[in-house]
Amino acid sequence: MKNHALKSVALAALVAAPSFAATAYINQIGYRPGDFKELALVDASGNVDFVNATGQVVLSVTPKAASYWDASGQNVQLVDFSKLAEPGKYSIKVNGNVLRSDLVVKSQTYEEIVKASIKWFYYQRASMALESTYAGKWARAAGHTNATVKLHNSTGASGTIQSSKGWYDAGDYGRYIVNSGITTYTLLSLYEHFPQYFKTLKWNIPAEGSLPDLLAEIKYNLDWMLTMQASDGGVYHKLTSLGFPGDVMPAQDNSELYVIGKSTAGTFDFAAVMALASRIYKPFDATYATKCLDAAKKAFAWGQQHPSQNYLANPSDVSTGAYENDNPNDEKVLAGTELYITTGDASYKQSGSSEYVSYWGDVMGLATYEKATHATQFGGDANEAKQKILGTADNFVNRAETGFGVVMAKDDFVWGSNAVASNQGVWLLHAYYLTGNQKYYKAAVKVLDYLLGKNPLDMSFVTGYGTKSPKMPHHRPSTSDNIEEPIPGMLVGGPQPGGEDVGSAAEWKCADYRTGQAATAYTDQRCSYATNEVAINWNAPLAYLAGAIEAINAGYAPEFAANGVARNDTPASSSSAAQSSSSAPQSSSSVTPESSSSSIPGVSSSSSANVESSSSQGTIAIHTPIESKVVRSQQPRFRFDGHSLFIEKSGKRFDLKGHRIK
Ligand code: 9MR
């Protein structure tokens, strides 16, 4: 072995310097001029240079020491380039190699994402044609226009009801109360927190009286939800065909529609949404507000009388989404909380709060937000709720300091992982509202960075936005409309290792795309309903996160927020180093961290095999050095297996050209 090692050193000196695929992962939509900015760097060594449109290095940053992210199995260096404050387009270079050229700094950074993510709900509308005036090339005929739907025997009734409108749930054409509940709730709370911002923001949808676009869109779904309430106050669980439809446009899905089940959880979800809607629509349409409130009260009463009519599984003849639930207590707490806030009637008050981020099956976190932000009404409960929000948020902030610089942990990669991320961002924003502490805002922005490209898949998860974004979502209209681009503004479910859609025989089965790593188990293929579907409850928290961040930077804050939450979306002050870095680049003062002639990260030409990389010290190429840290790269080693020389790095093998050897 000793001989081999010596031989390796000799050979290493002779071969051309290999180069690894160093990658910089960024938010592909952009970064706000005055904000904290971070990218993630893998397989690179040396300072990161930011090059402006005229080719000048305007900033050079020494990355932080690498840390391991167990969700992707990578060692990652985080690079804080907050000082890059001048709007523009930049290239990112390491050791003279351009890693990418799509870095953007601009104001109103996510406004297009806000509009597109909410506009998508219009594209999901059942029962009406999408006209080209609004839908452009994605115009389509109306689907599911027959409002007469059968009562499935699981409802305990027979005959038909009239039900139309609403949003299709996802890639399928089902409409489900539970999932509509959390979705509509999230969008309503976005409006309630930032009414002034959303009063004027428009994205070209049909007018609904004088309602702001956001409320017009939400009303389309509220109208459907109202049709799902039976005369006794109980709410049917869902409106779908018996099985999932084929891969057809909405107008071609002629399968019989049924109202299926009637559930306690669905009924309380409905009550919560209607109680919240009632107070939001009141200034625009008092009659509608009363209708919503009456429906909420009736639903709440039914739920109290039927505390455990749980939808635990589909009936044997039904195979559409189940949205099953065996504990409707959290839905009850949310409904009672909303009814109390709207009516002031203390008999609706419910105890309970949570330190966990909500999803369709557990909405206690939403009640927790409400209690914490209505301190006068909830007293001691408000304080408890606030402590839970801050405790979880502090944990999120810590998690975002290492690895990929994101909140997501390995266990968070479940079906719809991108909604987990988005809801973590929404949680962080609530911590920010309650305290005004910038660390929460910063971590919330990092969540958006993750969703828009700073992730190990190097992609924006929103269709139509970013350098690389999903092209083949599991979404029936996008599949069957004969238009190449998917409908824009859709957040795909995202990576998760479950592989529920992996198989070889049946339709809609994928070849195994799993990687052994939670954060990269993803495939951009139609078949992948477990990683590449889209859904209303995933888009809503994205819309909230991006919408709230834009509104905050347009100078707005929720009325209950602490001082200093609203921000001003302008470049960093003229006295900052940022200005000098852009106007007077001083690349000459940049210190090259390694004098290596090798382009293998961390291996200088004088290194011997199995010797750790030389450590490097760098400075920032602007007037104010921020951090100068020792960077220890990931110790690539030359090895010889008896036949050929190869390089081992982070447990992987590469040939001398830097290509991965399987
Ligand atoms: O989002 C749901 C996820 O949490 C579940 O694990 C999964 C399997 O039950 O179902 C997801 O919801 C789907 C629903 O059942 C039907 N419409 C598409 C939804 C997104 O995949």
Side-chain angles (χ1 to χ4, degrees):
M1 284 310 289
K2 211 176 168 190
N3 277 345
H4 287 156
L6 286 172
K7 209 167 165 185
S8 329
V9 178
L11 277 170
L14 293 175
V15 294
S19 61
F20 283 94
T23 311
Y25 301 85
I26 64 168
N27 182 328
Q28 297 174 10
I29 305 305
Y31 294 83
R32 199 173 293 284
D35 264 8
F36 171 79
K37 302 177 192 68
E38 184 177 82
L39 62 78
L41 198 60
V42 172
D43 285 338
S45 168
N47 275 13
V48 179
D49 293 336
F50 296 86
V51 183
N52 71 9
T54 60
Q56 290 175 300
V57 175
V58 292
L59 178 68
S60 182
V61 181
T62 301
K64 293 180 182 163
S67 64
Y68 184 71
W69 196 39
D70 63 356
S72 68
Q74 287 168 300
N75 286 307
V76 190
Q77 291 178 286
L78 294 175
V79 177
D80 176 347
F81 62 101
S82 305
K83 301 208 169 197
L84 193 72
E86 188 73 21
K89 198 161 182 190
Y90 298 87
S91 296
I92 297 169
K93 275 190 179 178
V94 173
N95 288 328
N97 298 319
V98 177
L99 301 191
R100 58 194 310 148
S101 302
D102 57 346
L103 176 66
V104 169
V105 175
K106 64 173 181 186
S107 298
Q108 296 174 296
T109 328
Y110 310 113
E111 193 179 288
E112 292 308 312
I113 295 284
V114 179
K115 291 178 180 175
S117 61
I118 309 178
K119 171 80 178 261
W120 177 61
F121 289 88
Y122 164 74
Y123 289 112
Q124 289 295 97
R125 289 187 185 190
S127 317
M128 67 176 270
L130 306 187
E131 294 165 31
S132 57
T133 326
Y134 308 108
K137 62 182 168 189
W138 294 284
R140 62 163 171 80
H144 308 89
T145 47
N146 182 0
T148 305
V149 296
K150 282 190 172 163
L151 284 158
H152 189 266
N153 56 21
S154 57
T155 60
S158 59
T160 59
I161 65 162
Q162 296 296 302
S163 181
S164 65
K165 302 175 83 174
W167 303 311
Y168 298 129
D169 187 57
D172 65 315
Y173 297 138
R175 282 166 277 173
Y176 307 83
I177 284 292
V178 165
N179 209 39
S180 257
I182 185 168
T183 303
T184 312
Y185 184 95
T186 301
L187 294 176
L188 282 169
S189 68
L190 176 59
Y191 183 85
E192 187 172 49
H193 294 162
F194 300 100
Q196 296 310 325
Y197 179 73
F198 281 100
K199 260 176 194 154
T200 51
L201 197 70
K202 300 186 86 59
W203 45 87
N204 189 28
I205 56 169
E208 175 75 27
S210 59
L211 287 176
D213 276 4
L214 179 52
L215 294 188
E217 190 55 60
I218 295 171
K219 185 169 182 295
Y220 196 80
N221 200 57
L222 290 170
D223 287 351
W224 167 69
M225 289 180 82
L226 287 166
T227 70
M228 292 290 280
Q229 186 172 38
S231 55
D232 64 356
V235 180
Y236 301 118
H237 194 70
K238 61 178 177 177
L239 167 51
T240 72
S241 39
L242 295 179
F244 286 118
D247 206 356
V248 296
M249 291 297 283
Q252 271 72 58
D253 175 23
N254 297 316
S255 36
E256 185 102 60
L257 291 184
Y258 290 83
V259 164
I260 301 165
K262 190 192 262 181
S263 66
T264 307
T267 301
F268 279 132
D269 274 326
F270 171 100
V273 167
M274 291 303 160
L276 173 55
S278 167
R279 61 177 190 264
I280 289 177
Y281 285 83
K282 198 169 179 183
F284 300 96
D285 184 344
T287 311
Y288 193 69
T290 304
K291 187 176 178 183
C292 291
L293 187 56
D294 289 348
K297 288 178 178 169
K298 233 172 133 177
F300 192 80
W302 186 93
Q304 282 185 308
Q305 288 151 15
H306 303 82
S308 50
Q309 194 164 319
N310 297 330
Y311 196 92
L312 298 175
N314 279 324
S316 57
D317 58 338
V318 175
S319 59
T320 49
Y323 290 115
E324 64 279 25
N325 192 318
D326 63 0
N327 178 6
N329 182 53
D330 49 292
E331 287 83 4
K332 180 180 181 185
V333 174
L334 182 61
T337 300
E338 292 306 330
L339 275 161
Y340 171 53
I341 295 171
T342 301
T343 63
D345 178 347
S347 69
Y348 284 118
K349 253 185 174 179
Q350 304 289 317
S351 60
S353 55
S354 172
E355 65 264 43
Y356 298 111
V357 167
S358 286
Y359 75 110
W360 60 262
D362 176 5
V363 294
M364 190 70 97
L366 305 180
T368 308
Y369 295 157
E370 290 292 50
K371 291 182 176 186
T373 56
H374 292 82
T376 323
Q377 291 100 313
F378 290 97
D381 280 1
N383 195 42
E384 185 185 308
K386 179 176 175 179
Q387 293 320 316
K388 286 184 182 170
I389 290 173
L390 299 188
T392 297
D394 284 337
N395 182 29
F396 287 173
V397 168
N398 288 338
R399 270 154 53 171
E401 290 300 312
T402 58
F404 242 86
V406 299
V407 174
M408 290 291 279
K410 197 173 178 177
D411 291 349
D412 292 328
F413 288 89
V414 296
W415 191 318
S417 62
N418 283 337
V420 177
S422 306
N423 278 311
Q424 290 171 338
V426 175
W427 188 285
L428 283 159
L429 286 177
H430 281 78
Y432 179 53
Y433 304 153
L434 291 167
T435 60
N437 190 327
Q438 299 298 319
K439 70 179 177 180
Y440 300 125
Y441 170 81
K442 178 174 149 183
V445 172
K446 284 185 179 211
V447 173
L448 211 45
D449 291 345
Y450 169 80
L451 294 168
L452 299 175
K454 189 182 149 217
N455 58 62
L457 292 161
D458 191 18
M459 68 188 294
S460 154
F461 291 117
V462 181
T463 55
Y465 291 86
T467 314
K468 181 183 166 200
S469 62
K471 300 285 183 256
M472 310 288 265
H474 180 93
H475 181 237
R476 282 169 178 73
S478 294
T479 303
S480 44
D481 62 5
N482 290 322
I483 300 198
E484 199 179 331
E485 300 101 302
I487 289 171
M490 304 190 289
L491 178 70
V492 296
Q496 62 104 358
E500 293 83 349
D501 46 16
V502 170
S504 52
E507 190 196 7
W508 290 124
K509 293 286 179 187
C510 297
D512 200 347
Y513 54 82
R514 286 169 291 183
T515 56
Q517 301 292 348
T520 51
Y522 167 84
T523 183
D524 183 14
Q525 292 186 73
R526 305 281 192 215
C527 60
S528 189
Y529 53 82
T531 72
N532 211 31
E533 190 167 357
V534 296
I536 57 173
N537 64 313
W538 304 340
N539 253 62
L542 169 69
Y544 186 104
L545 180 60
I549 287 174
E550 278 310 307
I552 286 167
N553 283 286
Y556 299 108
E559 60 176 17
F560 54 76
N563 285 338
V565 166
R567 298 164 66 96
N568 195 346
D569 184 15
T570 50
S573 79
S574 53
S575 63
S576 78
Q579 275 264 334
S580 53
S581 72
S582 56
S583 57
Q586 302 201 350
S587 48
S588 57
S589 68
S590 175
V591 175
T592 307
E594 287 178 312
S595 54
S596 163
S597 62
S598 164
S599 60
I600 306 169
V603 176
S604 72
S605 53
S606 57
S607 310
S608 60
N610 291 336
V611 170
E612 283 192 357
S613 65
S614 56
S615 54
S616 59
Q617 283 202 295
T619 54
I620 307 301
I622 51 175
H623 300 313
T624 331
I626 39 174
E627 259 175 308
S628 181
K629 281 195 174 166
V630 174
V631 177
R632 192 172 291 279
S633 64
Q634 296 135 38
Q635 305 163 17
R637 293 150 189 229
F638 286 106
R639 290 192 184 265
F640 188 67
D641 63 5
H643 299 287
S644 52
L645 187 65
F646 64 91
I647 300 155
E648 190 174 82
K649 182 168 179 285
S650 305
K652 295 173 189 153
R653 293 176 171 202
F654 298 85
D655 69 19
L656 296 175
K657 288 186 173 159
H659 298 132
R660 177 93 185 270
I661 304 168
K662 297 281 174 199

